[in-house]
Amino acid sequence: MAVVATSSLLTGCGAGGSGDVTLRLVAADYGDSEDNTSQKYWDALTDAYEKDHPDVTVDVEVYSWEDVDAKVKAMVDAGDPPDMAQVGAYADYAAAGQLYPVSQLLSVPVQADFLGEMSRAGEVGGTQYGMPFAASTRRLFYNKDLFAQADIEPPKTWSQLVSDARALKAEGVTYPFALPLGGEEAQAETLIWMLSNGGGYTDNVGSYSLDTPQNVRALDWLKNDLVGAGLTGPTAPARLNRTPAFKAFANGEVGMLSGHPTLMNMAKAKGVDYGDVAVPGPDGTPKSRMGVTDWMMAFKEGGHAKAVGAFLDYVYSEKNVLDFSREYTVAPVTASASDAMRDAPQDKALSPFIDELAEATYYPANKTSWPVISAEIKKQIGATVGPNGSPASVLGRIQNEAAAAESAE
């Protein structure tokens, strides 16, 4: 899954002379306009790298998130994978033996600089193949002006969230609590509340565990206390996607919703005075928090392990990780850049997100079955909170599919 949605497809390449080695990188676009497309970031980075490494040329193609995974798959299927790809998933390629282990690429200090849970999320069979690239967690955003009008404080517990939503509804707020369980990112919104109650998609040994009592209770609470009480707005959660929910927040129509750092920029651009707090747990602090990261991987086909490793060492230098994180308002994936941002006044707004990543729980991206199960969650989960929905039966059905897929891996 991706940390943010992106704009139109863009392609290009980094500048450089005729070097002895040409590396190809396919990357996703984190920008939201022509002015800040990721192509500009990569072009500047590769220009600087090639000046110090005249024997290496790095060609970069940047595609929208809607297209990048399919583009890489098409290249691989055609027998012509890029040397590197920065996309949303890596496990299928790792399982097929097509990727370099990270230990054969990065220097020890650079590999050790990744945040621990992210590195483990990049492992298949105990070997790391996926390198985290840009991250975020989710916090509860709230509209300060709407909260002041309703004379309420940001919630710390589930019951307080319900109480706040009732007060916001009484004030005529369109979406007291926006719950995007549409197909765009239902797997994220669902996991947020499962983790809040001590559940999740997998157990402590990494096996699928979707139909646990904790997960069922979380969805029952969303269904009965929020949706059933008419506190989630005019659009049914099954039809509400994250992007329009974020836009509605930026337009001042939403009292509360779960958001990632990109929402800060959207709110500021529209003049919305917002705050963000930890996602509430049933009785206070959530049992766990959701983290999301995208992935960099390197294909073995080209045989450029040494050149790829040297370039990626440069990509993951503290300066370059900081530059990317600040340009696109995402959390860094390395300890050194995280420490630098915590200490920098300019990054104060992002600090809570960075702090929460240290012990966050991530999607089971190391499972080749995860894309299929994620798609099923997106397709089915929204109906569980509807009038005739049954969280227990739907989660049980998806769990059976997940267990069968896991057995086939």
Side-chain angles (χ1 to χ4, degrees):
M1 127 33 112
V3 176
V4 291
T6 54
S7 54
S8 60
L9 183 150
L10 296 157
T11 61
C13 62
S18 57
D20 297 328
V21 175
T22 297
L23 301 177
R24 294 168 56 216
L25 166 64
V26 175
D29 192 358
Y30 287 77
D32 56 13
S33 69
E34 293 283 347
D35 292 333
N36 73 338
T37 168
S38 295
Q39 190 69 60
K40 292 185 177 181
Y41 171 84
W42 286 112
D43 286 349
L45 184 146
T46 55
D47 283 349
Y49 185 78
E50 289 168 355
K51 287 178 182 177
D52 292 333
H53 301 82
D55 58 335
V56 178
T57 299
V58 184
D59 291 342
V60 182
E61 301 172 21
V62 172
Y63 297 96
S64 71
W65 273 110
E66 288 79 6
D67 297 303
V68 67
D69 287 286
K71 290 288 185 180
V72 172
K73 184 178 186 301
M75 294 175 187
V76 174
D77 290 347
D80 186 31
D83 294 286
M84 296 160 284
Q86 182 267 300
V87 290
Y90 70 90
D92 280 350
Y93 303 117
Q98 296 171 312
L99 303 182
Y100 283 113
V102 177
S103 60
Q104 294 182 19
L105 300 169
L106 301 181
S107 63
V108 172
V110 172
Q111 185 176 3
D113 199 24
F114 289 130
L115 296 175
E117 288 300 320
M118 292 184 192
S119 289
R120 284 184 281 278
E123 293 179 356
V124 173
T127 298
Q128 186 180 357
Y129 295 95
M131 292 162 272
F133 188 90
S136 76
T137 186
R138 301 299 165 89
R139 287 171 63 79
L140 188 77
F141 281 70
Y142 64 97
N143 184 310
K144 288 185 176 181
D145 290 336
L146 296 180
F147 266 58
Q149 292 172 19
D151 193 24
I152 53 177
E153 296 294 326
K156 296 181 179 178
T157 66
W158 284 5
S159 61
Q160 289 171 1
L161 189 151
V162 172
S163 177
D164 284 352
R166 286 177 181 149
L168 291 164
K169 183 179 180 180
E171 289 293 319
V173 175
T174 305
Y175 292 90
F177 175 74
L179 182 65
L181 290 178
E184 180 181 356
E185 209 183 31
Q187 84 287 359
E189 188 71 21
T190 303
L191 184 57
I192 290 168
W193 299 106
M194 287 179 170
L195 290 171
S196 172
N197 195 41
Y201 290 143
T202 56
D203 58 24
N204 56 11
V205 295
S207 297
Y208 284 116
S209 58
L210 284 92
D211 59 347
T212 62
Q214 295 94 327
N215 290 343
V216 172
R217 185 196 170 203
L219 291 183
D220 278 338
W221 172 71
L222 292 173
K223 170 183 166 61
N224 298 322
D225 292 49
L226 288 165
V227 182
L231 302 177
T232 54
T235 304
R239 298 199 305 271
L240 182 63
N241 283 317
R242 183 198 66 196
T243 297
F246 276 22
K247 288 181 179 178
F249 184 86
N251 288 332
E253 301 169 349
V254 176
M256 300 175 281
L257 84 168
S258 305
H260 55 59
T262 302
L263 187 54
M264 297 190 297
N265 296 336
M266 295 177 65
K268 289 176 183 176
K270 289 295 190 76
V272 171
D273 190 10
Y274 74 91
D276 60 83
V277 295
V279 171
D283 303 308
T285 303
K287 305 293 192 302
S288 183
R289 297 175 173 90
M290 186 188 75
V292 178
T293 183
D294 301 314
W295 299 101
M296 179 76 76
M297 55 189 170
F299 288 91
K300 296 191 292 186
E301 181 73 21
H304 296 141
K306 184 176 180 180
V308 168
F311 175 68
L312 290 177
D313 270 1
Y314 181 74
V315 169
Y316 284 106
S317 67
E318 181 180 322
K319 175 187 180 302
N320 286 326
V321 173
L322 283 172
D323 286 348
F324 189 90
S325 299
R326 286 167 173 161
E327 177 66 28
Y328 299 106
T329 319
V330 294
V333 297
T334 62
S336 59
S338 296
D339 290 342
M341 293 186 81
R342 285 192 190 95
D343 294 337
Q346 73 189 87
D347 302 314
K348 182 179 179 180
L350 201 57
S351 291
F353 295 88
I354 295 172
D355 291 340
E356 290 189 2
L357 279 172
E359 297 180 354
T361 299
Y362 296 84
Y363 296 136
N366 57 349
K367 293 180 179 294
T368 58
S369 57
W370 170 241
V372 174
I373 301 308
S374 176
E376 286 301 311
I377 294 169
K378 290 179 182 180
K379 183 167 63 176
Q380 298 189 46
I381 211 71
T384 66
V385 300
N388 301 313
S390 172
S393 62
V394 172
L395 289 177
R397 184 163 60 246
I398 300 175
Q399 172 62 27
N400 289 337
E401 295 174 14
E406 190 168 37
S407 298
E409 288 184 350

